[in-house]
Amino acid sequence: MEEETAEVSVRRLEQVGCQQRLPETDEEAAKVEELMAEELSNLSMSEQDVVSFEVHGIVAEVEETPELIAQSLIEMEAELQKIKKKPAYEIALKMNPNYVTGQSFRLQFLRCEAFNCKNAARRLVLHFQQKEDLFGSGDVLVRDVRLSDMDSSDIEAMEAGAIQLLPTCDVSGRAVWCFFLRKWAEKPKAKTAVSLSLNPL
């Protein structure tokens, strides 16, 4: 039920034009809120509780054991093999296989998806695709992004304040990001740059 609802939500967001990006106008934002409210109303009470607990940081943490990590890495690799179209990932893999297959690197994606190996594999592929779209297929693809990788418009977008990190965490110790859509709409580069910052963490 949960996976089915998620697929419906994605298709409907595609119709609005907001899949994998934040809304750019008040009209888009209102439409997304309407769709989210409608999808939530279609969930059962137990499913609504899961969503509510997740939002408020009241979720059961995955107990990480060496066995879980080892098995999850194997399953994640198997899920990656099932994804046929992943050009940026394959470029990165050829450039620096140690970086792409490194345990600490892949663990970021597994933890982000609560050790759902299929979702973690998809997020990893998307990470490299977005990174290539933003910065090209040079060595930046297989290392952390640096300030020197950004041009003047990137710096201007960052300094616009459209994306801000709150000084305190939520009750679960998670970092809280704030997005100011009006400022965002004025700086197109910021809209794409943030997608990278959200992957994998």
Side-chain angles (χ1 to χ4, degrees), residues 5-16:
T5 303
E7 289 176 359
V8 171
S9 299
V10 168
R11 287 198 298 271
R12 300 190 66 182
L13 284 174
E14 285 175 336
Q15 294 170 4
V16 182

Side-chain angles (χ1 to χ4, degrees), residues 22-199:
L22 291 182
E24 299 175 15
T25 65
D26 290 341
E27 183 179 293
E28 280 189 351
K31 187 62 178 176
V32 170
E33 286 184 7
E34 180 185 329
L35 290 177
M36 290 177 65
E38 186 177 334
E39 294 298 334
L40 283 171
S41 68
N42 291 331
L43 298 178
S44 67
M45 290 300 295
S46 60
E47 289 169 331
Q48 288 185 34
D49 285 342
V50 170
V51 173
S52 178
F53 291 163
E54 170 67 24
V55 169
H56 293 91
I58 312 171
V59 291
E61 292 186 10
V62 176
E63 183 180 351
E64 292 186 21
T65 63
E67 294 77 18
L68 173 66
I69 291 173
Q71 184 59 35
S72 296
L73 289 168
I74 292 171
E75 292 179 16
M76 183 180 177
E77 178 60 33
E79 292 296 337
L80 282 166
Q81 297 304 318
K82 295 177 185 177
I83 301 174
K84 302 302 180 185
K85 190 176 180 180
K86 47 182 186 291
Y89 169 84
E90 290 171 348
I91 291 171
L93 187 61
K94 289 179 182 178
M95 290 176 66
N96 191 339
N98 290 334
Y99 176 86
V100 177
T101 62
Q103 176 173 310
S104 61
F105 178 66
R106 291 197 170 183
L107 266 175
Q108 296 177 82
F109 297 86
L110 284 166
R111 287 170 175 154
C112 181
E113 296 293 347
F115 282 80
N116 182 314
C117 300
K118 184 175 183 179
N119 289 348
R122 289 176 175 175
R123 184 175 286 272
L124 177 61
V125 170
L126 177 61
H127 167 82
F128 282 111
Q129 188 58 58
Q130 291 179 327
K131 201 172 186 182
E132 183 187 43
D133 291 344
L134 290 168
F135 300 101
S137 54
D139 70 305
V140 66
L141 200 59
V142 288
R143 61 168 171 78
D144 291 341
V145 176
R146 303 169 186 153
L147 200 59
S148 57
D149 295 314
M150 301 182 183
D151 59 28
S152 58
S153 63
D154 294 322
I155 302 298
E156 184 183 0
M158 291 176 62
E159 292 177 345
I163 311 161
Q164 297 183 26
L165 179 64
L166 294 187
T168 57
C169 297
D170 71 3
V171 292
S172 291
R174 301 177 300 185
V176 180
W177 290 86
C178 287
F179 304 92
F180 300 92
L181 296 182
R182 291 192 184 280
K183 290 184 178 181
W184 202 319
E186 297 167 3
K187 305 293 180 184
K189 203 70 174 264
K191 293 194 292 292
T192 49
V194 74
S195 63
L196 185 66
S197 73
L198 296 177
N199 290 284

